[in-house]
Structures are given as C-alpha cells and as structure tokens.
Amino acid sequence: MNERGAAVLEAQAGDAVRVLRERGLTIATAESLTGGLVCAWLTSVPGSSAVVLGGVVAYATSAKELLANAPAQVIAAHGAVAEPTAAAMAAGIRSRLGADLGVATTGVAGPTQQDGHPPGTVYVALAWSGGQVVRSFAGDERLSGDRRAVRAATVRAALEMVSAPGPHLVS
C-alpha cells in the first residue's frame, strides 16, 4: 500500500472511531480475508479503546463458526465466501463480544479462486441490534487489483460502512 492509500485508511479509521465515540457505541470485528486489518486500523486511532471491544481473525472456514460465532448451518448451506456467511459472522461477533456493532469480512483476495469464487469476490457485513447490512462485491462488481489491493479496498469498505449515516448509529 502506498502512502496515499495508508493516509486514506488512517482518515477513515479516525472517522469511524470519532462517530462511534460520539454516539457511545462499541464495535467488534470478525475478519477472514483482511486478517485483522480492520481492527488494526481502528485500534491505530488514539482513543479507540473506548469503542473497540476486540476482534478475531476467522481465516479458516471452521474458525468462522468457532471464533466468529457464525452458525454451522449457514456456512454449510452457503459456503465460507457468501453474503449470508458475512452477515452471520458480523452478528455472531457482535453477540460473542457484547458489542453494539459487529463488522465482518469474507472473500477471496487472490491470486487464485476459492471454492469457485474468483479473486475480488468480497462480502462486508455490519450488524447491530436492529438489523444488518451486507455490501457485496461479486460478479461484475468484484474488487480489482492484486491481493494487497483487494484487502485494502475491503478495509476501506468496512470502515465506510461503520461511519456512514444509518440506523446502526442510533444507540
């Protein structure tokens, strides 16, 4: 990642932490293809300890169930790289850590496909007490670039979802 890309992520993480602090909300992360990068960027912000409860790296399919608290039935029915799985991971980590918000990432960073999904296929989910939303990057909407670029774009999408206005920010 170049200096400009890092500056963008730093600013987005700062915005997310600021918004969460202003609303008195907490967050937990469950990450697959991002390998903890969402949580790392959030916790790089001074004062983030007031809002970040923790995060897990659920890289293996079994870890999505064991660590992210995603139901085995969802993973069995849809696979590790799927919109319902991302939603289940976000809701699961939110519940497991007792956070107001749960954010999750799952997908294929590349360079090769996984379970028939081409690189750039990504799902980012955000869960809160009143609902959830999943942003899908699949088919013609896949993220482009190499492994590093796909992971960085996924982190950006997750941070944008957290700080964007919406029902998840009502405490």
Side-chain angles (χ1 to χ4, degrees):
M1 176 181 321
N2 63 29
E3 198 172 305
R4 182 177 177 277
V8 168
L9 287 174
E10 183 176 22
Q12 286 182 306
D15 288 346
V17 169
R18 177 186 52 77
V19 166
L20 294 172
R21 285 187 69 156
E22 287 173 355
R23 288 169 175 75
L25 299 171
T26 58
I27 191 167
T29 65
E31 302 179 62
S32 183
L33 82 150
T34 49
L37 290 172
V38 175
C39 197
W41 278 103
L42 287 170
T43 58
S44 72
V45 178
S48 61
S49 61
V51 298
V52 178
L53 297 186
V56 299
V57 175
Y59 205 67
T61 300
S62 60
K64 290 169 178 56
E65 178 184 350
L66 296 171
L67 298 174
N69 211 24
Q73 313 87 285
V74 172
I75 296 169
H78 303 283
V81 179
E83 187 172 322
T85 300
M89 289 170 63
I93 197 64
R94 178 186 168 276
S95 172
R96 183 172 296 275
L97 295 187
D100 296 305
L101 304 177
V103 66
T105 64
T106 189
V108 184
T112 59
Q113 69 175 2
Q114 177 188 338
D115 300 329
H117 300 285
T121 303
V122 171
Y123 301 94
V124 182
L126 180 66
W128 62 96
S129 64
Q132 61 190 22
V133 64
V134 180
R135 190 159 176 203
S136 300
F137 300 94
D140 292 340
E141 301 297 318
R142 282 180 299 147
L143 299 174
S144 61
D146 63 10
R147 183 174 180 80
R148 182 175 289 168
V150 168
R151 288 166 41 110
T154 303
V155 173
R156 281 193 302 275
L159 294 173
E160 286 171 5
M161 288 173 73
V162 171
S163 59
H168 64 284
L169 295 178
V170 178
S171 53

